[in-house]
Amino acid sequence: MIGLISATAAGAAARDRLAAAWPDRTRVYEGPVGDAVRTAFAQCEQLVCFLATGAVVRLVAPLLSGKTEDPGVVCVDEGGRFAVSLLGGHAGGANELAREVGDLLGVEPVVTTATDAVDLAGLDTLGLPVEGDVAGVSRALLDGEAVALRAEVAWPLPPLPVTHQGSYTIRVTDRLVEAAEREVVLRPPTLVVGVGASKGAPVEEVLGLVEDALREAGLSVASVAELATVDAKAEEPGIVEAARRIGVPLVTYSAEELAGVDVPNPSDAPLAAVGTRSVAEAAALVGGGELLVPKRKSAASPAMATCAVVRRPGRGRLAVVGLGPGARDLLTPRAKAELRRASVLVGLDQYVDQIRDLVRPGTRILESGLGAEEERARTAVEEARKGQAVALIGSGDAGVYAMASPALAEASDDIDVVGVPGVTAALAAGAILGAPLGHDHVSISLSDLHTPWEVIERRVRAAAEADLVVTFYNPRSRGRDWQLPKALGILVEHRTPATPVGVVRNASRPDESSRLTTLGALDPATVDMMTVVTVGNTATRDIAGRMVTPRGYRWQSAQEGSE
């Protein structure tokens, strides 16, 4: 919860804007400011104070406990110009909160955390448990000293300026090791603990068994990703509570799923009770991986719990990112976050140029020219399979005539894939023209480089007969100058020459241009590959110079009947 505190009318107005935008995330604290800050500090994970930074410093100073315990605090000045990350920039999330507040209120976020200031990924912001000399290694990274990356298990990390050797070390491991001097240990969630238990097994027995198994195998409990068991034990109190105390989810599988897993130590004992010869080993091995701890029983007599430990291989991550039509303010926050997270960026050279300033220093950029779509898709998947965090970029929405399709055709289930939607060219052009997509519509690419013209023509004819608004992508190029006239000829068989047509070139970019014409007046020679052509249906109208397709037809019929 985010506590909101203000002292003046201007502050209250800005406070109320945040409260209205984030009703489920915020709580307004009224009354004397000192009391409000103290109460919110104790009750909330974050605070936004519409107060002077000096005042907030004096109020929170007596309340501070420690870097990992204190809430994040952001201050917004009386003039509504800045959102200052004052306390808990990383651990408390104040840096990101300052950026969110800045976006919402139109103020400048002020972040002074050293790593953020130079756009370096903070070691305590990677979403992994971290131990050791975080301050010293971070300072070495900032000062350009040699910092070695020692990855004992593969895990997709954001770009870090690391080397093969150095006097400082970042160690990525799930082993139970102490951080050495000048070393940071990152613990990725690579371990799955399969658990079986008799009815009524005490949590102390289950938890003790798991902890003993990990410790004796030299594995860290901080790298446990989940506890896994059979569906029949989904509500077994000892297992549920053990997962809660470790702080990981409890994942369950059906007996049929577990029975199909090949395990080294099957047993008839659980067969009658839950329908499978293995619970602990099978539940740990369902997703594949290396069995580090075979099934073992608890020390109690009789033993009421079993467990097994598997290390799942680190999975690479492929984010397929839509950049939108080109304008920076139409690039979504999620897309920006994925660009900053990626250690490898793959994309068309001209698209890379659009967002080069957004990627972190050290990001490896693999760019290529037009016509290399399949090669880029293969490259992105190959890099993800190496355990990298990869962003594959495309214009508009990456799933619309862009890179998502070829990438997913190459990818298998050995990598994680995330789709990041973007504003499409059709949507950007539609917003410029008015509301041409107000009713059913379809997008059709007129490029026959990958699709036979016979198929394209059949789709255009179907859209014409169905009275759909049509947006044409890739309408005309130097080598393809007859397809657009042919498509328009098909449409005119079903629509009058007066049907509105919107033509938008470079939507949202500095050299954007648009015009509203008609199906009969459109000159195909004025259209190129940077243009989107939107042809209305029989209900589309030119209203005050805007292209409008009504959502329904009753109001239009009534209007026409009164004329």
Side-chain angles (χ1 to χ4, degrees), residues 449-532:
L449 295 178
H450 300 288
T451 305
W453 174 253
E454 292 77 14
V455 174
I456 297 172
E457 182 174 342
R458 187 166 64 248
R459 292 170 179 171
V460 173
R461 193 170 301 280
E465 293 173 351
D467 198 25
L468 297 173
V469 175
V470 182
T471 298
F472 287 124
Y473 281 71
N474 306 314
R476 185 177 181 273
S477 67
R478 292 178 181 177
R480 296 185 301 99
D481 59 1
W482 59 267
Q483 287 88 344
L484 179 59
K486 178 70 172 177
L488 295 175
I490 295 171
L491 288 174
V492 83
E493 295 174 10
H494 300 270
R495 299 171 199 185
T496 69
T499 300
V501 175
V503 181
V504 181
R505 188 177 191 278
N506 284 333
S508 86
R509 300 183 185 184
D511 57 345
E512 167 191 301
S513 63
S514 65
R515 68 184 189 278
L516 187 58
T517 182
T518 65
L519 189 55
L522 175 62
D523 180 3
T526 62
V527 172
D528 62 12
M529 284 289 287
M530 306 305 292
T531 305
V532 172

Side-chain angles (χ1 to χ4, degrees), residues 303-392:
M304 298 184 72
T306 60
C307 81
V309 182
V310 164
R311 176 188 288 141
R312 289 183 180 170
R315 292 169 63 87
R317 188 175 190 276
L318 173 61
V320 188
V321 181
L323 301 181
R328 179 59 57 86
D329 59 353
L330 292 181
L331 178 66
T332 67
R334 188 180 300 180
K336 292 179 184 178
E338 289 294 345
L339 294 175
R340 292 170 56 79
R341 177 173 180 165
S343 58
V344 180
L345 178 72
V346 181
L348 179 67
D349 47 14
Q350 64 189 50
Y351 298 152
V352 170
D353 288 341
Q354 290 179 22
I355 47 83
R356 197 182 296 271
D357 62 304
L358 295 179
V359 301
R360 292 186 188 274
T363 301
R364 188 154 53 97
I365 298 177
L366 305 177
E367 53 188 311
S368 52
L370 287 168
E373 288 81 5
E374 293 181 1
E375 177 187 341
R376 285 194 291 274
R378 282 193 295 270
T379 297
V381 171
E382 288 169 2
E383 291 294 329
R385 285 184 175 138
K386 296 175 184 176
Q388 300 287 345
V390 182
L392 174 63

Side-chain angles (χ1 to χ4, degrees), residues 100-404:
E100 288 187 86
V101 171
D103 287 341
L104 185 60
L105 299 182
V107 303
E108 182 71 22
V110 178
V111 176
T112 58
T113 307
T115 50
D116 289 69
V118 298
D119 208 17
L120 179 68
L123 297 175
D124 53 352
T125 67
L126 304 182
L128 303 178
V130 58
E131 304 166 11
D133 188 9
V134 175
V137 174
S138 297
R139 186 166 52 250
L141 290 169
L142 290 166
D143 290 344
E145 297 187 45
V147 177
L149 177 64
R150 183 179 169 188
E152 297 175 7
V153 292
W155 198 258
L157 296 175
L160 294 167
V162 293
T163 59
H164 293 294
Q165 293 183 331
S167 54
Y168 292 83
T169 305
I170 298 172
R171 186 176 181 183
V172 185
T173 183
D174 55 17
R175 308 295 302 179
L176 186 60
V177 296
E178 294 287 337
E181 185 180 0
R182 295 187 171 188
E183 182 178 65
V184 161
V185 175
L186 298 174
R187 301 200 179 280
T190 56
L191 305 177
V192 178
V193 180
V195 178
S198 301
K199 184 176 178 60
V203 61
E204 290 76 13
E205 182 174 343
V206 176
L207 186 59
L209 171 64
V210 171
E211 291 176 340
D212 289 347
L214 291 168
R215 182 177 60 256
E216 292 172 18
L219 301 170
S220 172
V221 69
S223 282
V224 174
E226 62 191 44
L227 260 58
T229 191
V230 66
D231 283 348
K233 298 295 179 179
E235 297 182 4
E236 184 64 44
I239 297 178
V240 172
E241 179 62 15
R244 190 194 68 80
R245 292 190 190 181
I246 296 173
V248 297
L250 176 62
V251 179
T252 64
Y253 300 97
S254 69
E256 290 76 15
E257 288 179 282
L258 298 186
V261 178
D262 186 26
V263 298
N265 300 292
S267 170
D268 291 334
L271 183 60
V274 295
T276 174
R277 285 186 166 84
S278 175
V279 174
E281 286 183 341
L285 284 166
V286 165
E290 177 187 4
L291 184 63
L292 302 179
V293 179
K295 181 182 71 175
R296 59 179 288 174
K297 297 180 180 181
S298 55
S301 183
M304 298 184 72
T306 60
C307 81
V309 182
V310 164
R311 176 188 288 141
R312 289 183 180 170
R315 292 169 63 87
R317 188 175 190 276
L318 173 61
V320 188
V321 181
L323 301 181
R328 179 59 57 86
D329 59 353
L330 292 181
L331 178 66
T332 67
R334 188 180 300 180
K336 292 179 184 178
E338 289 294 345
L339 294 175
R340 292 170 56 79
R341 177 173 180 165
S343 58
V344 180
L345 178 72
V346 181
L348 179 67
D349 47 14
Q350 64 189 50
Y351 298 152
V352 170
D353 288 341
Q354 290 179 22
I355 47 83
R356 197 182 296 271
D357 62 304
L358 295 179
V359 301
R360 292 186 188 274
T363 301
R364 188 154 53 97
I365 298 177
L366 305 177
E367 53 188 311
S368 52
L370 287 168
E373 288 81 5
E374 293 181 1
E375 177 187 341
R376 285 194 291 274
R378 282 193 295 270
T379 297
V381 171
E382 288 169 2
E383 291 294 329
R385 285 184 175 138
K386 296 175 184 176
Q388 300 287 345
V390 182
L392 174 63
I393 60 173
S395 67
D397 182 280
V400 180
Y401 303 123
M403 295 304 301

